[in-house]
Amino acid sequence: MRKASISRQTAETAISVEINLDGSGVYDNQTGVGFFDHMLDQLSRHSLIDMTIRAKGDYHIDDHHTVEDTGIALGQALTQAIGDKKGIRRYGECHLPMDDAQVRCALDLSARPYLVWNMDIPTQKIGAFDTELVREFFTALATHGGITLHIDQLHGFNSHHIVEAAFKAVARALRMAVEVDPRKADAIPSTKGAL
């Protein structure tokens, strides 16, 4: 089974992540950061990866450590669940429209982490959530998930729509990349023989 369970404890946060790559998008995410939970729910639902995330952080400072450390733990869980990457499609992409916003994601589960971030979120806050933390989350996810991740905003003016489109685009691309390729279910998707 392509499942993983990760616990991450630091002086700043306590995070637990459980995922099932072959799920149906069932989620139960409670990080103490409301808008972030909403985005994690979108990530699960549209990737069809079941997710249960629990986080407690140093909220009296801000939400930075909680969001970043959740990205670290989720990336580690993805790496663990995917294993040697035998049979996966490896690549994924999506153009995701949400009202005024359109965001494009392309990713490669290459084990070569890299984030290309072409996003212009017009406000510093969505409710109480600091929008600069969106990039922090995806940086942590890409780094610890070994993902080459490109996220490009094509247009949009509503911050909520732009950020939600980004999470959904990444989710749909991730869904494609982790799927088993029925034509090559027994092979590593690389001429090198390893990823």
Side-chain angles (χ1 to χ4, degrees):
M1 296 296 286
R2 301 191 308 159
K3 297 180 179 179
S5 181
I6 294 288
S7 290
R8 176 180 169 80
Q9 302 276 333
T10 72
E12 298 165 338
T13 62
I15 316 280
S16 67
V17 174
E18 293 180 10
I19 64 169
N20 176 5
L21 298 183
D22 300 309
S24 58
V26 174
Y27 52 83
D28 182 6
N29 301 313
Q30 299 175 29
T31 67
V33 183
F35 179 77
F36 184 48
D37 287 347
H38 179 47
M39 293 301 101
L40 292 172
D41 294 350
Q42 301 303 320
L43 188 62
S44 173
R45 173 63 185 88
H46 293 280
S47 67
L48 298 185
I49 298 172
D50 293 347
M51 290 183 194
T52 300
I53 299 174
R54 294 289 182 271
K56 292 186 179 181
D58 49 0
Y59 310 113
H60 62 288
I61 296 174
D62 65 10
D63 297 333
H64 185 112
H65 298 138
T66 303
V67 172
E68 182 178 34
D69 287 8
T70 299
I72 291 170
L74 184 56
Q76 292 171 341
L78 283 169
T79 298
Q80 185 181 100
I82 293 168
D84 67 3
K85 302 181 182 171
K86 184 180 288 185
I88 66 168
R89 292 187 187 275
R90 177 180 167 180
Y91 298 98
E93 52 86 21
C94 179
H95 280 82
L96 199 295
M98 184 169 178
D99 299 343
D100 56 285
Q102 185 179 172
V103 175
R104 176 181 59 213
C105 173
L107 61 80
D108 176 10
L109 301 178
S110 61
R112 294 188 306 275
Y114 198 90
L115 177 67
V116 174
W117 180 260
N118 292 311
M119 298 284 288
D120 182 20
I121 304 168
T123 62
Q124 293 182 347
K125 296 270 192 182
I126 300 172
F129 183 80
D130 293 324
T131 54
E132 70 179 4
L133 297 182
V134 178
R135 181 176 186 163
E136 295 301 320
F137 170 77
F138 284 119
T139 298
L141 181 70
T143 300
H144 294 270
I147 305 168
T148 301
L149 179 59
H150 292 235
I151 306 174
D152 300 289
Q153 177 184 337
L154 303 183
H155 45 260
F157 56 81
N158 180 288
S159 294
H160 189 134
H161 295 163
I162 292 165
V163 172
E164 188 163 340
F167 272 84
K168 288 177 175 177
V170 171
R172 296 291 295 194
L174 195 56
R175 173 181 173 179
M176 186 183 299
V178 301
E179 283 180 343
V180 174
D181 185 344
R183 295 177 63 191
K184 280 290 188 180
D186 59 344
I188 303 290
S190 172
T191 56
K192 295 184 294 231
L195 283 170

PDB file of all heavy atoms in Angstrom, residues 86-89 179-189:
ATOM      1  N   LYS A  86       8.635   3.183  -8.631  1.00  0.00           N
ATOM      2  CA  LYS A  86       8.343   2.220  -9.691  1.00  0.00           C
ATOM      3  C   LYS A  86       6.881   2.353 -10.110  1.00  0.00           C
ATOM      4  O   LYS A  86       5.981   2.329  -9.286  1.00  0.00           O
ATOM      5  CB  LYS A  86       8.616   0.794  -9.210  1.00  0.00           C
ATOM      6  CG  LYS A  86       8.435  -0.261 -10.303  1.00  0.00           C
ATOM      7  CD  LYS A  86       8.718  -1.663  -9.799  1.00  0.00           C
ATOM      8  CE  LYS A  86      10.209  -1.852  -9.586  1.00  0.00           C
ATOM      9  NZ  LYS A  86      10.541  -3.243  -9.207  1.00  0.00           N
ATOM     10  N   GLY A  87       6.672   2.517 -11.411  1.00  0.00           N
ATOM     11  CA  GLY A  87       5.334   2.501 -11.975  1.00  0.00           C
ATOM     12  C   GLY A  87       4.595   3.823 -12.008  1.00  0.00           C
ATOM     13  O   GLY A  87       3.547   3.920 -12.638  1.00  0.00           O
ATOM     14  N   ILE A  88       5.112   4.859 -11.337  1.00  0.00           N
ATOM     15  CA  ILE A  88       4.375   6.130 -11.338  1.00  0.00           C
ATOM     16  C   ILE A  88       4.532   6.845 -12.676  1.00  0.00           C
ATOM     17  O   ILE A  88       5.480   6.609 -13.423  1.00  0.00           O
ATOM     18  CB  ILE A  88       4.819   7.065 -10.189  1.00  0.00           C
ATOM     19  CG1 ILE A  88       6.271   7.528 -10.362  1.00  0.00           C
ATOM     20  CG2 ILE A  88       4.582   6.424  -8.835  1.00  0.00           C
ATOM     21  CD1 ILE A  88       6.670   8.662  -9.428  1.00  0.00           C
ATOM     22  N   ARG A  89       3.593   7.739 -12.945  1.00  0.00           N
ATOM     23  CA  ARG A  89       3.688   8.534 -14.179  1.00  0.00           C
ATOM     24  C   ARG A  89       4.805   9.581 -14.083  1.00  0.00           C
ATOM     25  O   ARG A  89       5.324  10.022 -15.086  1.00  0.00           O
ATOM     26  CB  ARG A  89       2.359   9.217 -14.467  1.00  0.00           C
ATOM     27  CG  ARG A  89       1.252   8.242 -14.833  1.00  0.00           C
ATOM     28  CD  ARG A  89       0.003   8.977 -15.287  1.00  0.00           C
ATOM     29  NE  ARG A  89      -1.114   8.088 -15.485  1.00  0.00           N
ATOM     30  CZ  ARG A  89      -1.362   7.408 -16.591  1.00  0.00           C
ATOM     31  NH1 ARG A  89      -0.534   7.499 -17.616  1.00  0.00           N
ATOM     32  NH2 ARG A  89      -2.416   6.617 -16.679  1.00  0.00           N
ATOM     33  N   GLU A 179      -0.056   8.714 -10.012  1.00  0.00           N
ATOM     34  CA  GLU A 179      -0.824   7.584 -10.536  1.00  0.00           C
ATOM     35  C   GLU A 179       0.101   6.526 -11.128  1.00  0.00           C
ATOM     36  O   GLU A 179       1.152   6.828 -11.691  1.00  0.00           O
ATOM     37  CB  GLU A 179      -1.787   8.055 -11.628  1.00  0.00           C
ATOM     38  CG  GLU A 179      -3.017   8.737 -11.103  1.00  0.00           C
ATOM     39  CD  GLU A 179      -3.965   9.192 -12.209  1.00  0.00           C
ATOM     40  OE1 GLU A 179      -3.529   9.270 -13.389  1.00  0.00           O
ATOM     41  OE2 GLU A 179      -5.116   9.472 -11.886  1.00  0.00           O
ATOM     42  N   VAL A 180      -0.322   5.286 -11.007  1.00  0.00           N
ATOM     43  CA  VAL A 180       0.417   4.190 -11.610  1.00  0.00           C
ATOM     44  C   VAL A 180       0.106   4.160 -13.108  1.00  0.00           C
ATOM     45  O   VAL A 180      -1.054   4.221 -13.514  1.00  0.00           O
ATOM     46  CB  VAL A 180       0.036   2.850 -10.946  1.00  0.00           C
ATOM     47  CG1 VAL A 180       0.703   1.683 -11.663  1.00  0.00           C
ATOM     48  CG2 VAL A 180       0.426   2.870  -9.471  1.00  0.00           C
ATOM     49  N   ASP A 181       1.146   4.087 -13.907  1.00  0.00           N
ATOM     50  CA  ASP A 181       1.008   4.012 -15.359  1.00  0.00           C
ATOM     51  C   ASP A 181       0.785   2.556 -15.747  1.00  0.00           C
ATOM     52  O   ASP A 181       1.696   1.720 -15.603  1.00  0.00           O
ATOM     53  CB  ASP A 181       2.284   4.548 -16.020  1.00  0.00           C
ATOM     54  CG  ASP A 181       2.184   4.626 -17.534  1.00  0.00           C
ATOM     55  OD1 ASP A 181       1.275   3.992 -18.118  1.00  0.00           O
ATOM     56  OD2 ASP A 181       3.031   5.312 -18.131  1.00  0.00           O
ATOM     57  N   PRO A 182      -0.407   2.208 -16.229  1.00  0.00           N
ATOM     58  CA  PRO A 182      -0.674   0.799 -16.531  1.00  0.00           C
ATOM     59  C   PRO A 182       0.220   0.225 -17.630  1.00  0.00           C
ATOM     60  O   PRO A 182       0.390  -0.985 -17.722  1.00  0.00           O
ATOM     61  CB  PRO A 182      -2.149   0.802 -16.954  1.00  0.00           C
ATOM     62  CG  PRO A 182      -2.435   2.195 -17.386  1.00  0.00           C
ATOM     63  CD  PRO A 182      -1.547   3.073 -16.564  1.00  0.00           C
ATOM     64  N   ARG A 183       0.821   1.082 -18.427  1.00  0.00           N
ATOM     65  CA  ARG A 183       1.701   0.595 -19.496  1.00  0.00           C
ATOM     66  C   ARG A 183       3.114   0.291 -18.999  1.00  0.00           C
ATOM     67  O   ARG A 183       3.878  -0.412 -19.675  1.00  0.00           O
ATOM     68  CB  ARG A 183       1.764   1.624 -20.629  1.00  0.00           C
ATOM     69  CG  ARG A 183       0.415   1.804 -21.321  1.00  0.00           C
ATOM     70  CD  ARG A 183       0.476   2.879 -22.376  1.00  0.00           C
ATOM     71  NE  ARG A 183       1.407   2.521 -23.442  1.00  0.00           N
ATOM     72  CZ  ARG A 183       1.806   3.374 -24.380  1.00  0.00           C
ATOM     73  NH1 ARG A 183       1.375   4.625 -24.371  1.00  0.00           N
ATOM     74  NH2 ARG A 183       2.632   2.987 -25.321  1.00  0.00           N
ATOM     75  N   LYS A 184       3.466   0.851 -17.816  1.00  0.00           N
ATOM     76  CA  LYS A 184       4.810   0.650 -17.277  1.00  0.00           C
ATOM     77  C   LYS A 184       4.769   0.530 -15.756  1.00  0.00           C
ATOM     78  O   LYS A 184       5.561   1.149 -15.044  1.00  0.00           O
ATOM     79  CB  LYS A 184       5.717   1.822 -17.679  1.00  0.00           C
ATOM     80  CG  LYS A 184       6.270   1.741 -19.086  1.00  0.00           C
ATOM     81  CD  LYS A 184       7.286   0.622 -19.187  1.00  0.00           C
ATOM     82  CE  LYS A 184       7.995   0.642 -20.520  1.00  0.00           C
ATOM     83  NZ  LYS A 184       8.989  -0.437 -20.611  1.00  0.00           N
ATOM     84  N   ALA A 185       3.851  -0.268 -15.251  1.00  0.00           N
ATOM     85  CA  ALA A 185       3.645  -0.372 -13.806  1.00  0.00           C
ATOM     86  C   ALA A 185       4.815  -1.022 -13.082  1.00  0.00           C
ATOM     87  O   ALA A 185       4.912  -0.911 -11.853  1.00  0.00           O
ATOM     88  CB  ALA A 185       2.356  -1.152 -13.520  1.00  0.00           C
ATOM     89  N   ASP A 186       5.701  -1.684 -13.808  1.00  0.00           N
ATOM     90  CA  ASP A 186       6.815  -2.384 -13.158  1.00  0.00           C
ATOM     91  C   ASP A 186       8.157  -1.704 -13.407  1.00  0.00           C
ATOM     92  O   ASP A 186       9.202  -2.270 -13.109  1.00  0.00           O
ATOM     93  CB  ASP A 186       6.885  -3.823 -13.675  1.00  0.00           C
ATOM     94  CG  ASP A 186       7.088  -3.891 -15.186  1.00  0.00           C
ATOM     95  OD1 ASP A 186       6.876  -2.871 -15.872  1.00  0.00           O
ATOM     96  OD2 ASP A 186       7.488  -4.968 -15.679  1.00  0.00           O
ATOM     97  N   ALA A 187       8.135  -0.454 -13.921  1.00  0.00           N
ATOM     98  CA  ALA A 187       9.399   0.195 -14.302  1.00  0.00           C
ATOM     99  C   ALA A 187       9.552   1.547 -13.633  1.00  0.00           C
ATOM    100  O   ALA A 187       8.571   2.260 -13.390  1.00  0.00           O
ATOM    101  CB  ALA A 187       9.461   0.367 -15.821  1.00  0.00           C
ATOM    102  N   ILE A 188      10.789   1.912 -13.342  1.00  0.00           N
ATOM    103  CA  ILE A 188      11.116   3.265 -12.877  1.00  0.00           C
ATOM    104  C   ILE A 188      11.012   4.194 -14.087  1.00  0.00           C
ATOM    105  O   ILE A 188      11.593   3.909 -15.142  1.00  0.00           O
ATOM    106  CB  ILE A 188      12.542   3.325 -12.293  1.00  0.00           C
ATOM    107  CG1 ILE A 188      12.711   2.327 -11.142  1.00  0.00           C
ATOM    108  CG2 ILE A 188      12.903   4.728 -11.867  1.00  0.00           C
ATOM    109  CD1 ILE A 188      11.969   2.655  -9.889  1.00  0.00           C
ATOM    110  N   PRO A 189      10.300   5.333 -13.981  1.00  0.00           N
ATOM    111  CA  PRO A 189      10.126   6.212 -15.138  1.00  0.00           C
ATOM    112  C   PRO A 189      11.342   7.105 -15.402  1.00  0.00           C
ATOM    113  O   PRO A 189      11.296   8.322 -15.317  1.00  0.00           O
ATOM    114  CB  PRO A 189       8.892   7.027 -14.766  1.00  0.00           C
ATOM    115  CG  PRO A 189       8.925   7.082 -13.278  1.00  0.00           C
ATOM    116  CD  PRO A 189       9.503   5.767 -12.833  1.00  0.00           C
TER     117      PRO A 189
END
